[in-house]
Amino acid sequence: MTAKRIEELLELYRHSLLEDVVPFWLNTAADHKYGGILNCLDRDGSVYNTDKAMWIQCRAVWMFAKLYNECESRPEWLEAARNGYEFITRHGFDTDGRMFFIVTQDGRPLRKSRYLFTETFGSIACAEYARATGDQRALGKARDLYHLIIDFTRSPGRLTPKVLPETRVTRVHAMPMILLATTQELRKHYDDPLHTEVVDQSLYEVQNYFVKPDENALFEVVGPNGERLHSPEGRCINPGHAIETSWFMMHEARHRSDPSLLTRALDILKWSLDIGWDKEYGGILYFVDVEGKPTEQLEWDMKLWWPHTEALYALLLAHHLTGDSFYEEWYERVHRWAFDHFADAQHGEWFGYLHRDGTLSSRLKGSMWKGPFHLPRALLYGWKILEEMKAERGTRDEEGEAQTLST
């Protein structure tokens, strides 16, 4: 990537994050009466539903605390994190230690999920908030939640299964994926022998159960020993999830200096782009049947914001780690499509849901599923990678100049 392009992207990422996306949420979503954020927002930031998704609250706390810790120490970001953290600790937890999924605006519980995703985001939110404030109680809450998550995942029957295990036993890619990402975040904040154990196990499961090199795909659901299930569920590829997992694995390969892990992560990225990219209209499809058969999901051909943000970061990281122009070319392809179709020049932020041809499906900016997470995370992480690319390019240029002078 040329020095000029790196500078262009740095400016775009900084501006998009600091002047567009973050202000959109700060100025429209903060609930100053009850705490947390109002996550169901129309195109212009007006509220269309006051119920709150607890996992969105957790993601928002993590994001604002992360910005405070790694971008700038802005008081308004710390206040947003504090406002959300206090809402979570007051209203987020059931008597069994698990978290609610949806609550009313003032925090009364409405729904609890059979899954542990709210708890995973709650854990990293508490840890990042503890880093920003020095609050050891928050760090203790992060540890407690993490151990609760691991205990539940290792205790069959504690969570209500989606499919009766007496009839069919399955494995779902989302669990090792989220455990990998959660543990990678938490080990930045405190030491625990469990971290290495969980990362090792998650990597093993992804690579040995869900990755199928003979089919060039990472599957979402498999049998107990990684068997292919001959059903729509068993043929389902979620390109966005696979791409997200690929960059979690790239991070781990970098952390461990493990070239074989990096190679596998890059394989997953390539496969997922190949199968997920819509060759007729552009953009990344939401779901794909690996055999080209009908999918169970009627929304299979929609274009959602988050697979594209994950692809933008994964491709930047892959290009940085390898120097391969293949990833640069793919990055530019995804970049053009995403910024042309999702970005809202009038009101800011990104639309979340498009039809296959790129036209608008819903004008919402926030919902029970979309909040201040995937997009600002990709912008922040992409910004950091671009800074590394700029620094390394500068070092190479200086070395080349010195060598020229010496000769």
Side-chain angles (χ1 to χ4, degrees):
M1 189 173 286
T2 66
K4 180 182 178 182
R5 183 56 175 157
I6 291 171
E7 284 292 349
E8 290 173 349
L9 290 173
L10 271 171
E11 178 57 29
L12 174 64
Y13 275 50
R14 280 193 293 257
H15 177 82
S16 297
L17 181 67
L18 302 181
E19 307 300 328
D20 177 0
V21 176
V22 173
F24 178 89
W25 288 96
L26 276 178
N27 297 335
T28 63
D31 187 345
H32 298 293
K33 183 176 182 180
Y34 294 108
I37 64 168
L38 292 157
N39 49 265
C40 292
L41 305 179
D42 206 336
R43 178 183 182 182
D44 60 358
S46 57
V47 178
Y48 66 85
N49 179 10
T50 59
D51 292 340
K52 296 171 178 174
M54 193 58 69
W55 76 326
I56 298 292
Q57 307 300 312
C58 296
R59 287 174 163 197
V61 170
W62 178 85
M63 193 70 247
F64 284 117
K66 177 71 77 171
L67 288 166
Y68 181 84
N69 290 328
E70 298 189 7
C71 185
E72 297 176 22
S73 299
R74 295 192 185 185
E76 62 268 30
W77 293 346
L78 185 60
E79 174 59 22
R82 182 200 62 77
N83 190 36
Y85 174 77
E86 291 182 356
F87 183 82
I88 291 167
T89 54
R90 284 197 306 267
H91 304 295
F93 292 87
D94 201 352
T95 55
D96 62 357
R98 289 202 57 211
M99 299 187 74
F100 297 111
F101 183 61
I102 299 177
V103 299
T104 61
Q105 182 179 1
D106 58 358
R108 289 170 292 141
L110 288 171
R111 183 174 147 200
K112 193 171 173 180
S113 174
R114 68 156 83 80
Y115 304 116
L116 292 163
F117 302 121
T118 304
E119 288 82 0
T120 62
F121 290 106
S123 183
I124 65 171
C126 291
E128 199 67 43
Y129 180 75
R131 177 185 173 198
T133 62
D135 187 339
Q136 292 304 298
R137 292 172 300 177
L139 188 59
K141 177 65 75 174
R143 286 194 186 99
D144 291 344
L145 265 175
Y146 183 66
H147 282 267
L148 178 144
I149 293 161
I150 302 306
D151 183 50
F152 267 84
T153 58
R154 292 179 174 180
S155 304
R158 292 198 69 184
L159 292 172
T160 303
K162 184 177 180 180
V163 177
L164 290 175
E166 296 85 356
T167 305
R168 179 178 297 155
V169 177
T170 60
R171 290 182 180 271
V172 181
H173 163 234
M175 281 315 301
M177 166 194 168
I178 199 65
L179 288 176
L180 174 61
T182 300
T183 307
Q184 287 174 325
E185 279 296 312
L186 292 178
R187 74 181 176 195
K188 299 173 186 176
H189 302 283
Y190 68 93
D191 294 327
D192 188 332
L194 192 58
H195 292 160
T196 300
E197 186 181 329
V198 172
V199 169
D200 287 346
Q201 181 63 28
S202 299
L203 290 172
Y204 177 86
E205 290 183 18
V206 169
Q207 296 183 89
N208 290 278
Y209 295 141
F210 300 97
V211 168
K212 307 293 181 190
D214 56 328
E215 298 191 75
N216 291 349
L218 187 158
F219 287 78
E220 283 296 299
V221 181
V222 296
N225 299 305
E227 306 96 322
R228 274 271 269 115
L229 301 177
H230 297 286
S231 64
E233 182 181 47
R235 294 189 299 267
C236 178
I237 307 297
N238 183 329
H241 258 181
I243 289 169
E244 197 171 5
T245 293
S246 77
W247 72 254
F248 297 159
M249 292 172 66
M250 281 187 247
H251 277 200
E252 196 60 31
R254 201 178 191 191
H255 178 75
R256 300 182 177 202
S257 300
D258 184 341
S260 64
L261 184 58
L262 176 60
T263 297
R264 179 56 78 210
L266 295 172
D267 287 340
I268 294 169
L269 177 59
K270 290 176 183 176
W271 300 339
S272 304
L273 290 166
D274 182 60
I275 197 170
W277 187 258
D278 187 339
K279 296 172 180 59
E280 182 174 358
Y281 292 103
I284 299 170
L285 297 164
Y286 195 16
F287 295 104
V288 179
D289 185 290
V290 75
E291 297 177 12
K293 296 177 180 178
T295 64
E296 286 183 316
Q297 301 88 354
L298 299 181
E299 69 276 23
W300 69 273
D301 62 348
M302 290 182 67
K303 310 293 168 60
L304 274 64
W305 86 106
W306 69 264
H308 294 78
T309 63
E310 301 311 304
L312 288 173
Y313 177 64
L315 287 163
L316 265 184
L317 180 60
H319 177 54
H320 176 50
L321 295 178
T322 66
D324 193 331
S325 62
F326 172 88
Y327 302 107
E328 180 184 3
E329 292 165 6
W330 259 109
Y331 172 83
E332 295 294 351
R333 184 182 305 175
V334 177
H335 177 97
R336 285 192 300 272
W337 203 95
F339 278 89
D340 286 349
H341 291 85
F342 289 106
D344 182 359
Q346 183 176 354
H347 293 287
E349 241 275 353
W350 279 20
F351 296 112
Y353 302 89
L354 308 178
H355 295 297
R356 183 177 180 184
D357 62 1
T359 57
L360 195 62
S361 173
S362 172
R363 65 176 190 247
L364 68 81
K365 295 291 178 60
S367 67
M368 296 300 176
W369 310 101
K370 185 179 186 295
F373 183 69
H374 285 283
L375 176 56
R377 181 178 71 171
L379 292 172
L380 177 62
Y381 283 11
W383 173 359
K384 298 300 182 182
I385 289 297
L386 287 162
E387 285 185 334
E388 288 187 35
M389 293 168 69
K390 179 180 178 180
E392 289 191 7
R393 186 177 184 86
T395 300
R396 288 197 302 270
D397 289 347
E398 289 176 4
E399 291 173 348
E401 184 178 349
Q403 185 176 5
T404 300
L405 290 173
S406 67
T407 55

